[in-house]
Amino acid sequence: MRRHRDQVRMSTPDPTDVHPAWLPDEAWRAIGVRRILVCGEGTLVDTVQAEVERAADRYGGTARRNPTEAGLPPADLVLALTDALPPDSSPATEPGPPETLTATATATTTAVATATAQLATATAQLGESLGVEGFALARHAGVTVVLADAPAGLLYGLFELVRLGEAAFGPTHPVRVHRPVMARRMLDHWDNVDVHPVMGQVERGYAGGSIFWHDGRPRGDVARVTAYARLLAACGINAVSVNNVNVHATEARLLTERLDDVVDLADLLRPYAIRVHLAVTFAAPMVLGGLPTADPLDQAVRDWWAETTARVYARIPDFGGYLVKADSEGQPGPFSYGRDHADGANLLAEALAPYGGVVHWRAFVYNHRQDWRDRSTDRARAAYDHFAPLDGRFRDNVIVQVKHGPIDFQTREPVSPVIAAMPGTRLAVEFQVTQEYTGQQKHVCYLAPWWSEILRFAPWGDDGRTVADVAADGGGLVAVSNVGDDEFWTGHPLAQANLYAFGRLCWNPRLRPQEVLDEWIDLTFAPDARVDPELLRRTLHEIMDDSWRTYERYTAPLGVGFMVRPGHHYGPDVDGYEYTPWGTYHFADRDGVGVDRTRATGTGFTGQYPPPWSEQYESIDTCPDELLLFFHHVPYGHLLHCGSTVIQHIYDTHFEGVREVEAMCRRWEWLARLVDPAVHARVTERLAEQVRCAREWCDQVNAYFHRKSGIPDAHGRALH
Ligand code: GCV
């Protein structure tokens, strides 16, 4: 252990040693050719300085730090903390000199003064300051100026410049203020320290091993963790939980005797403004502390958490907090003591409160020992039934973390009704960047359009607040990470776009998915004289923009979900989960398919929504087609709003989905000479599997429903 820690400290991390994903060197050219001035102090300002120095060394610019006694030196780019500017950079009364590519010291001073004055006006108008993460960007007199009140803002301002490239050095423009919509932008790693006998090194990981852990030990790959932190900062993520929410024996000890391992990760992530969180077991006082109970109301248990948490903060002063999966899929929790989830969450919150830490308490609680014959128990109801009655009972530093849908990250689900049911609780909405149910990083499936739909959904109707508003006012957004030790980080190189997009949608949930994809394409695929950038961009859009809907077309139909192979969840198995205890049924028989979740005749789940959705989902006439089978059991001949019958829709969409994947393959071939050969080869290999698998889905789903219903395809295509 000691040796490992010394190794970590001694090595100099170079984040550019690994595959650059969306930060290739070329992305830094526009910055690197300029004379840059960085003003301010602190770890994050040092990071900004190191980044611009590296860029300037590569591309021939210069990077200086802080004003001299004579004032601001001439610069083309100034990145400054507002309190680090000399007092004489006061608001300019005269307009600056004409634009020039090589600004003089006067021009630099004028530009900074103008930007400072405009920022003061802008924040006065907004009635808010830049905050700890915001920044302002302006261009005057041939000088680009980034101002921030706090170091994290400067870091995010730098990455905005990277995104803009040469456009950051174009025409004059007044201050533009940027602030994140979500204060909390977090990734959860389901990484195990030990290799789990069933789940492996990373639970639901599709990109090789863990970047943090290897076979019971820290992986010790300083360069990769640093590069990861840098990539995350560049898309706006500011918190990472470093171990699986299913906390096994070794992982539990990260909280106590293996805390050094967490300290090392915190040290590597901190320079990029990322706070470390830890998933802990609710039974920790027993398994680690030797107490006879973990009862949240027991004083000795409370003391144990308080002392243990104090030790964590003594080593990691900016520790983010705990993440807990309790009373879920076999994890221990407060139910064992006759307590509820508010009792459980408040116990940990009390221990974290003195240090400003938070507990992320997951609402993913349901009965996974169900009997398929019992139609009254509905897994979709579970989170609401457990948590909504507790609204108002959670401490301020509890964040109840709710999966975006009521079941489990399916390709299509309604928005979880819990999001509208707990106005007195801070809620975080949880997404799954790792593609457990969306093709496991073997299939192209750009998920931003799906997440964007969810974030824009208005649970109280069109005039009301959106899911994004609820998260922004509460605990922000969280997602399960999709990276591993794979050469391209995410197995499928195009799956990097999902990670990038998640960060960007946290920063601004109103960004359009296509525009986020544009950003990712421009950053990731470095310009090359031989490459037609428009062809590359257009083709990637053609492949990726609609790929989530394509995936939906060839998998489980009309929102019914699952139909995957049990256990690993890859590939089709229509009845795979139908008679299991997991509560994920479709109830297909010879007459019809779907789950009746109405109040009138079903499980009553529709009643968990406020109007208008409680009514809209209840009625078969107003339920959206894409969620029909989630809410209703209907005959195969039922006519959808789109004009097709349910059975014909199943046939048509499955054939269509396969055709679309075949087209993706042809399009990708066109890019053979336009992208890095290694990336091209990897995507080609994955697309071949996607086509194979899409055909298998199509065959199995269509054959299954043909046999059940006995209804032939209206277009006479072969069904088995
Ligand atoms: C980490 C699903 C996944 C599990 C995961 C669980 C969760 O059930 O299949 O692997 O466990 O969700 O979100 O806790």
Side-chain angles (χ1 to χ4, degrees):
M1 167 91 71
R2 188 78 257 150
R3 208 181 56 224
H4 165 74
R5 289 179 55 72
D6 291 344
Q7 281 165 352
V8 166
R9 296 254 146 77
M10 278 159 49
S11 27
T12 316
D14 181 353
T16 59
D17 275 356
V18 290
H19 190 272
W22 50 88
L23 286 181
D25 288 338
E26 192 60 33
W28 295 84
R29 176 186 289 277
I31 293 174
V33 296
R34 278 158 169 115
R35 295 168 307 162
I36 310 152
L37 175 68
V38 175
C39 302
E41 299 301 337
T43 306
L44 298 181
V45 186
D46 293 345
T47 303
V48 170
Q49 177 76 20
E51 289 289 357
V52 297
E53 265 172 23
R54 190 163 29 227
D57 285 351
R58 181 172 294 273
Y59 291 109
T62 57
R64 298 173 74 170
R65 182 78 173 261
N66 288 332
T68 62
E69 284 191 356
L72 297 175
D76 314 306
L77 169 62
V78 178
L79 292 129
L81 289 184
T82 44
D83 66 4
L85 289 166
D88 60 350
S89 352
S90 51
T93 47
E94 299 294 323
E99 281 204 20
T100 150
L101 270 179
T102 52
T104 61
T106 317
T108 308
T109 307
T110 307
V112 169
T114 309
T116 308
Q118 289 178 346
L119 175 59
T121 311
T123 49
Q125 274 165 2
L126 282 169
E128 285 177 45
S129 70
L130 286 177
V132 287
E133 299 187 310
F135 61 91
L137 180 61
R139 183 152 170 90
H140 297 290
V143 183
T144 297
V145 182
V146 176
L147 297 173
D149 287 342
L154 215 55
L155 184 69
Y156 294 126
L158 170 68
F159 286 119
E160 176 69 8
L161 293 176
V162 177
R163 230 182 322 275
L164 290 170
E166 269 308 320
F169 303 94
T172 291
H173 66 80
V175 145
R176 292 174 188 152
V177 170
H178 298 251
R179 277 178 314 186
V181 171
M182 308 284 163
R184 296 184 168 274
R185 311 180 296 276
M186 180 169 177
L187 283 173
D188 287 355
H189 279 251
W190 287 354
D191 298 17
N192 297 314
V193 177
D194 280 334
V195 177
H196 186 270
V198 179
M199 290 299 169
Q201 191 78 68
V202 181
E203 181 155 348
R204 311 306 178 188
Y206 311 106
S210 164
I211 63 169
F212 298 139
W213 316 106
H214 178 69
D215 210 4
R217 313 295 311 159
R219 188 179 185 87
D221 190 343
V222 171
R224 188 172 271 270
V225 176
T226 305
Y228 184 52
R230 184 172 181 253
L231 287 170
L232 295 190
C235 65
I237 298 295
N238 65 1
V240 164
S241 172
V242 295
N243 63 305
N244 191 357
V245 289
N246 291 326
V247 184
H248 309 291
T250 302
E251 293 75 9
R253 288 156 53 215
L254 293 173
L255 180 61
T256 52
E257 67 207 72
R258 301 235 356 212
L259 185 59
D260 275 352
D261 298 344
V262 186
V263 172
D264 286 341
L265 289 176
D267 288 349
L268 294 175
L269 298 174
R270 185 174 299 111
Y272 286 94
I274 291 163
R275 292 171 83 170
V276 158
H277 295 238
L278 201 57
V280 296
T281 169
F282 192 75
M286 298 168 78
V287 299
L288 302 172
L291 297 185
T293 178
D295 183 346
L297 301 193
D298 184 286
Q299 191 55 46
V301 169
R302 294 169 68 186
D303 293 345
W304 187 88
W305 277 110
E307 285 154 22
T308 303
T309 305
R311 278 194 288 274
V312 172
Y313 277 92
R315 303 293 312 287
I316 312 174
D318 57 353
F319 180 68
Y322 300 137
L323 165 63
V324 186
K325 171 176 177 177
D327 291 317
S328 169
E329 298 184 335
Q331 294 297 304
F335 287 168
S336 305
Y337 310 97
R339 314 296 182 198
D340 61 31
H341 283 271
D343 297 326
N346 288 342
L347 163 75
L348 273 69
E350 179 185 55
L352 290 158
Y355 315 97
V358 294
V359 54
H360 283 250
W361 190 272
R362 296 178 83 225
F364 183 61
V365 177
Y366 69 101
N367 174 7
H368 69 286
R369 297 205 172 85
Q370 230 177 287
D371 183 334
W372 62 271
R373 283 158 291 228
D374 164 19
R375 295 272 180 129
S376 64
T377 309
D378 178 5
R379 175 166 164 178
R381 292 187 57 112
Y384 181 105
D385 285 344
H386 285 298
F387 282 85
L390 303 180
D391 187 35
R393 283 202 34 224
F394 293 97
R395 291 182 63 123
D396 284 352
N397 61 330
V398 173
I399 291 172
V400 173
Q401 187 165 310
V402 187
K403 286 193 182 185
H404 65 74
I407 301 274
D408 193 5
F409 300 136
Q410 296 305 289
T411 314
R412 178 79 74 168
E413 291 185 47
V415 160
S416 168
V418 176
I419 293 169
M422 301 186 70
T425 306
R426 293 173 74 189
L427 299 181
V429 180
E430 186 179 309
F431 293 92
Q432 198 180 40
V433 183
T434 194
Q435 290 173 236
E436 177 178 359
Y437 296 103
T438 50
Q440 304 200 348
Q441 282 137 253
K442 294 190 174 96
H443 297 217
V444 182
C445 189
Y446 178 50
L447 288 163
W450 176 212
W451 301 333
S452 176
E453 250 184 48
I454 294 163
L455 290 166
R456 288 163 191 259
F457 181 80
W460 296 272
D462 281 350
D463 299 335
R465 297 161 71 226
T466 62
V467 169
D469 294 332
V470 175
D473 293 344
L477 300 181
V478 181
V480 187
S481 177
N482 66 347
V483 306
D485 67 358
D486 169 69
E487 182 185 356
F488 303 112
W489 293 95
T490 50
H492 200 309
L494 302 187
Q496 287 171 15
N498 285 329
L499 187 59
Y500 179 83
F502 173 71
R504 293 292 289 144
L505 289 174
C506 289
W507 186 277
N508 180 3
R510 301 212 68 82
L511 287 173
R512 288 180 307 108
Q514 291 90 336
E515 111 189 63
V516 176
L517 190 59
D518 267 337
E519 289 179 8
W520 177 78
I521 292 169
D522 288 350
L523 286 167
T524 305
F525 296 92
D528 178 320
R530 293 161 304 163
V531 170
D532 173 352
E534 275 319 306
L535 175 63
L536 178 67
R537 179 200 296 274
R538 196 173 61 242
T539 310
L540 284 168
H541 274 287
E542 283 166 358
I543 292 171
M544 296 174 75
D545 278 348
D546 212 29
S547 53
W548 158 61
R549 289 195 176 80
T550 294
Y551 186 82
E552 181 183 30
R553 282 179 196 116
Y554 62 78
T555 56
L558 298 165
V560 76
F562 277 84
M563 300 192 174
V564 290
R565 297 219 174 96
H568 57 67
H569 298 166
Y570 185 73
D573 188 344
V574 179
D575 276 344
Y577 272 103
E578 198 55 16
Y579 305 99
T580 70
W582 297 92
T584 51
Y585 311 125
H586 54 67
F587 297 128
D589 56 22
R590 65 177 192 179
D591 300 318
V593 55
V595 188
D596 184 353
R597 294 193 159 106
T598 62
R599 301 190 286 290
T601 51
T603 68
F605 171 70
T606 58
Q608 294 186 341
Y609 288 89
W613 298 105
S614 51
E615 302 309 318
Q616 193 143 346
Y617 292 146
E618 174 77 7
S619 162
I620 208 160
D621 296 329
T622 52
C623 183
D625 282 351
E626 68 273 13
L627 288 171
L628 184 71
L629 302 184
F630 191 95
F631 285 105
H632 297 274
H633 186 89
V634 297
Y636 293 110
H638 174 83
L639 205 57
L640 295 166
H641 301 298
C642 68
S644 190
T645 60
V646 164
I647 191 70
Q648 193 56 43
H649 176 89
I650 293 176
Y651 298 151
D652 289 347
T653 51
H654 283 76
F655 286 122
E656 200 180 318
V658 171
R659 270 200 312 275
E660 287 166 3
V661 179
E662 288 165 351
M664 276 181 195
C665 296
R666 284 194 298 278
R667 293 194 164 106
W668 183 252
E669 274 174 34
W670 303 341
L671 298 185
R673 283 183 317 283
L674 303 192
V675 300
D676 169 18
V679 169
H680 194 268
R682 177 69 72 87
V683 175
T684 303
E685 163 213 311
R686 302 265 150 153
L687 278 168
E689 166 55 18
Q690 184 171 0
V691 161
R692 186 208 62 75
C693 192
R695 288 180 185 143
E696 190 186 358
W697 269 100
C698 174
D699 281 353
Q700 288 220 17
V701 172
N702 282 352
Y704 179 96
F705 285 103
H706 180 225
R707 290 171 191 178
K708 275 264 168 299
S709 69
I711 302 173
D713 171 36
H715 306 297
R717 289 164 293 198
L719 299 170
H720 305 288

